[in-house]
Amino acid sequence: ANLPVPTIAAIDGTALGGGLELALACDIRVAAASAKMGLVETKLAIIPGAGGTQRLPRTIGVSLAKELIFSARIVDGEEAKSIGLISHVVEQNEAGDAAYRRALALAKEFLPQGPVAMRVAKLAINQGMEV
């Protein structure tokens, strides 16, 4: 989350527990419609330990984050998009890399922007969310 450049998580398969926590640390998340995501640690009688209990509520809201964590529910890409967990959902392709390809397209949109402005904008947004 503290990298000074934009980060994009491409979820083409399964991101459960720590995998989703890593994706939540990214600035933008893209997933295939068939992808599976969830913080399922409560099924193991533990809690998400890599920032999920802080980042998920900031991303989708406190009540819904509690519901997903308490139930250990797994959502697909379509539901993840509808609740605001991801920014973009794409239909999976035969190669299994549709989210990765969409993430690359987004990154190419960012490339022409001023690197200092990008770094400072990210910092301002991140610090503003913690106020």
Side-chain angles (χ1 to χ4, degrees):
N2 292 326
L3 284 173
V5 296
T7 56
I8 306 170
I11 306 167
D12 275 307
T14 303
L16 301 176
L20 181 55
E21 288 179 296
L22 180 59
L24 284 166
C26 293
D27 300 309
I28 299 165
R29 285 164 298 287
V30 179
S34 60
K36 303 295 180 201
M37 294 157 268
L39 295 178
V40 297
E41 289 87 345
T42 54
K43 283 185 179 184
L44 304 171
I46 59 175
I47 66 169
T53 54
Q54 292 81 42
R55 289 189 175 111
L56 187 63
R58 288 182 188 141
T59 302
I60 66 171
V62 173
S63 182
L64 190 52
K66 286 178 179 179
E67 180 180 330
L68 293 182
I69 291 171
F70 295 168
S71 67
R73 184 177 309 139
I74 297 172
V75 299
D76 64 17
E78 295 291 344
E79 185 175 358
K81 171 71 169 127
S82 74
I83 64 174
L85 179 57
I86 61 172
S87 301
H88 303 274
V89 62
V90 293
E91 288 301 319
Q92 190 56 280
N93 59 24
E94 282 189 31
D97 65 353
Y100 172 74
R101 290 182 182 277
R102 180 66 177 111
L104 282 179
L106 278 171
K108 288 177 183 176
E109 288 182 47
F110 301 162
L111 282 175
Q113 315 318 320
V116 174
M118 295 285 283
R119 182 171 37 254
V120 174
K122 179 175 177 170
L123 184 62
I125 294 166
N126 287 351
Q127 287 181 347
M129 288 303 296
E130 294 180 15
V131 172

